[in-house]
Amino acid sequence: MQEYKRIDISKDEIVPIAERMRRQNVYLVMIHAFLNKEGQPDVSWDYAVDPAIESYHVVGETVLPSIGEIYDTAATWAERELNELFGLTFEGLDMSQRLFLPEDLLETQGRGQIMVTPLSELVEKNKKEAAQ
């Protein structure tokens, strides 16, 4: 199993790190995002730096630079996905077409508001509605 190294950075470091990794022929593994315990977005750029995965994290930012011109589809696909699902903005990213979601979904649900409701909450809601 590969070692995992978390490295916190500022958003100004995203592009220089991507450029350095590309010059060194390091693969971009994935760009991930999640909401941390404080509800802030935590976005990570994971690179395969043998023998480890180096994961560069930016916390609390919703507008980030795109690295699509550096890593092409490996970056732009993930950036577009995070834009659709989390409402993150990647500066310089072409968002003229959707990847997965219907064009009108964000107008009806709100940007970055795609949430999965736990089954236990749905069951409880059904019980309350049935009791009324």
Side-chain angles (χ1 to χ4, degrees), residues 4 6-9 34 42-45 55-59:
Y4 175 84
R6 178 186 171 115
I7 303 160
D8 291 317
I9 62 170
F34 64 93
D42 184 329
V43 184
S44 68
W45 292 258
S55 185
Y56 294 87
H57 289 252
V58 173
V59 178

Side-chain angles (χ1 to χ4, degrees), residues 62-132:
T62 58
V63 179
L64 303 157
S66 173
I67 61 168
E69 289 189 17
I70 303 165
Y71 274 98
D72 196 32
T73 306
T76 57
W77 184 275
E79 290 172 350
R80 289 177 64 197
E81 186 176 53
L82 293 175
N83 175 268
E84 284 188 26
L85 299 177
F86 278 88
L88 298 174
T89 300
F90 289 89
E91 296 173 319
L93 178 64
D94 177 14
M95 283 301 302
S96 60
Q97 295 181 324
R98 304 298 300 246
L99 285 176
F100 307 112
L101 304 177
E103 290 295 332
D104 66 345
L105 180 70
L106 295 181
E107 286 74 32
T108 60
Q109 299 293 316
R111 184 171 269 321
Q113 298 299 315
I114 306 302
M115 301 298 259
V116 176
T117 304
L119 181 59
S120 59
E121 287 182 30
L122 293 173
V123 169
E124 189 62 32
K125 180 179 177 185
N126 276 347
K127 285 180 185 177
K128 286 180 184 178
E129 288 176 359
Q132 294 176 350

Side-chain angles (χ1 to χ4, degrees), residues 4-22:
Y4 175 84
K5 296 180 183 177
R6 178 186 171 115
I7 303 160
D8 291 317
I9 62 170
S10 72
K11 74 178 193 175
D12 296 331
E13 296 174 272
I14 296 166
V15 171
I17 289 168
E19 290 171 337
R20 177 175 49 92
M21 293 296 187
R22 188 64 177 198

